[in-house]
Amino acid sequence: MQDIQKRIDEIESQAAESALIADLATDHEAQIYNGRLARELREFAMNLRKQAHVTRNTVGFADTVRPAD
């Protein structure tokens, strides 16, 4: 789980960097590209966080199978 959180943090950092580049860019295409990239990275991180939360709260199949009497 720590690996997933580390990856989420990295993606959010990349999103912040892309947003900053978009804000500072003087080229209109660079602004648009980096702005979109930042939004997509934030969305990806959010979806990954949701999936990690669901996975963490899901009982595994092995935990639900009981031996026959």
Side-chain angles (χ1 to χ4, degrees), residues 10-23 38 41-42:
E10 291 170 354
I11 294 168
E12 289 175 335
S13 177
Q14 291 171 341
E17 289 174 10
S18 292
L20 180 61
I21 291 169
D23 289 343
L41 287 168
R42 283 189 205 110

Side-chain angles (χ1 to χ4, degrees), residues 40-57:
E40 289 177 11
L41 287 168
R42 283 189 205 110
E43 183 177 335
F44 181 65
M46 180 181 64
N47 290 336
L48 189 56
R49 182 177 284 110
K50 286 179 185 177
Q51 185 62 38
H53 180 74
V54 168
T55 302
R56 190 177 324 129
N57 292 329

Side-chain angles (χ1 to χ4, degrees), residues 14-39:
Q14 291 171 341
E17 289 174 10
S18 292
L20 180 61
I21 291 169
D23 289 343
L24 297 175
T26 56
D27 180 62
H28 185 66
E29 288 183 25
Q31 291 172 341
I32 292 171
Y33 173 80
N34 285 288
R36 286 181 182 164
L37 180 58
R39 283 189 298 277

